[in-house]
Each structure stands twice: as structure tokens, then as C-alpha cells.
Amino acid sequence: MTKTRRSTGERRLEIIQATLCILHKQGVGQLTMRQLAADVDLSEAAIYRHFSNKEDIMEQVAAHVFRGPRAEETSPKRPAKERLREVMFGQLEALEENPHTTAVVFQEDIFREYPRVEGIFSAHRDAMVRRISSIVRQGQQEGFVRRAANPQVFAVIFIGTIRQLAAEWRANDFKDSLKERALPVFEELMRLLDIP
């Protein structure tokens, strides 16, 4: 049986997905080039044709996790509540599509071993705080959010809520719908802002 030749981009994505799977199932301590090569049915040398080293793989894994539809900006012409809903459920949908991405977010060992991965995570988190804060300020201008609400504090609560929902979902081995679990939580968050 002959193997189908994949493009460099397809191979890199396959290696990234296999890395996420190893991180999820076994943890960063068990990630080796030998294990990764075996999981994608390549030689270790072939892995090095796509990535310079394990740190390069981890950086590309982090970049993969923090880009995509959840990183897209919502239209500022839409009401604040709709934009907040889009942000939360966009994040959750992306996690449901690839549950193993939670392995990067919830393993502090990754950040200790790969400081640049922590930098990618921190930049993403900071961008999310700015984005959510901006949406809350828009809601204040629209009269949907009480003036006393602190946009940055709410952004931290909002992001922490997404993280907690994902952590519980991961602990439950991804058995239920993350988005369904989030519906009542989202409505409660909106009540904190006094959005009707």
C-alpha cells in the first residue's frame, strides 16, 4: 500500500494535532520526538524537516491554539451583548471542535519548560482583556451596561469563566456540550452588567 504524499502544511498540522493529543493524554513530560514520530508514522528526521526542535513545535502548537475563528473581531456595529455572546461562544465552539487544545491552556509545566509559549498565551490573554473591555465600554455608551461596571475587571471575570467552563468540561472527559453548559452562565454574567 502506498502512502499518500501530504503537503508541508498538512504534515505540519498533523504533527501539531499529534502533539496536542500527547499533551492531553500524557502531559508535556512525555512528549518526545520519538513518540511524536511514531504517532504520525514518520521518522524523527522527517519531523525535523518540518520543525527545528521541540520548542519550535510547542510554539507552533500555541500559535495554532490561539488563532482561528475565536480570534476574529466582532463587528462594533452590533450590540454589546451580542458581541460578548459571539466572543464566549466562539471560544467554546473552537474548543469543542478540537478539545485537545485545552492541554496547552491547563498545563503550567508547558509554560515553565517553554517560556515563549507562555508569552504567546499571555499576549492572547491580554488581547482578549482589551477586546472584552472595549465591548463593555461600548455597552456603557449604549446604555446596556451600568456605568459603575469596571470593564477590565469584568473582562478578567469573563475570561476566567470561559477557562473554568473548559476546565470542568475537560475533567469530565469532554462528555457534554460545552456551549450548552455555558448558556446559563453567560446569562448570569450579563446580569452582572445589568444588561436586560
Side-chain angles (χ1 to χ4, degrees):
M1 186 168 152
T2 59
K3 288 185 182 180
T4 304
R5 186 165 172 82
R6 293 187 180 103
S7 71
T8 298
E10 290 171 329
R11 234 356 143 182
R12 286 176 63 90
L13 183 58
E14 181 181 19
I15 293 166
I16 287 169
Q17 293 292 347
T19 302
L20 284 167
C21 193
I22 292 169
L23 292 172
H24 170 70
K25 291 179 180 174
Q26 301 170 10
V28 69
Q30 299 302 310
L31 178 64
T32 65
M33 295 304 257
R34 180 175 301 197
Q35 175 69 45
L36 190 53
D39 285 4
V40 294
D41 196 27
L42 290 174
S43 67
E44 287 182 55
I47 300 278
Y48 285 112
R49 282 196 292 272
H50 297 284
F51 298 95
S52 57
N53 54 37
K54 200 161 54 164
E55 186 167 359
D56 184 25
I57 293 171
M58 290 303 300
E59 288 175 27
Q60 293 305 312
V61 164
H64 173 77
V65 167
F66 296 120
R67 81 169 145 249
R70 62 198 173 279
E72 292 175 6
E73 186 57 55
T74 60
S75 170
K77 295 178 183 176
R78 298 186 63 159
K81 183 176 181 178
E82 286 180 28
R83 292 182 68 205
L84 287 170
R85 181 182 296 279
E86 288 173 8
V87 170
M88 177 174 278
F89 289 92
Q91 293 274 322
L92 300 177
E93 183 175 328
L95 289 170
E96 283 186 338
E97 288 172 3
N98 193 350
H100 294 144
T101 59
T102 59
V104 174
V105 178
F106 296 111
Q107 287 195 37
E108 296 295 321
D109 292 349
I110 292 173
F111 299 152
R112 282 191 288 280
E113 194 165 336
Y114 304 100
R116 286 192 276 198
V117 171
E118 182 178 22
I120 293 167
F121 173 79
S122 295
H124 173 74
R125 182 196 57 226
D126 294 347
M128 284 291 290
V129 167
R130 287 190 302 274
R131 181 176 170 199
I132 294 163
S133 296
S134 171
I135 294 170
V136 171
R137 284 191 294 277
Q138 173 195 343
Q140 288 171 323
Q141 291 170 351
E142 294 169 351
F144 290 115
V145 176
R146 59 188 167 85
R147 290 280 178 200
N150 183 316
Q152 283 195 294
V153 170
F154 180 79
V156 170
I157 293 167
F158 190 88
I159 292 167
T161 299
I162 293 171
R163 186 176 167 95
Q164 181 62 30
L165 285 165
E168 291 172 4
W169 181 62
R170 183 174 192 240
N172 196 28
D173 205 26
F174 315 117
K175 286 189 173 94
D176 55 355
S177 167
L178 185 53
K179 291 188 294 186
E180 283 181 29
R181 179 184 286 221
L183 285 169
V185 176
F186 178 80
E187 291 307 321
E188 195 61 37
L189 283 173
M190 295 305 97
R191 279 192 277 283
L192 289 175
L193 293 176
D194 287 339
I195 297 177

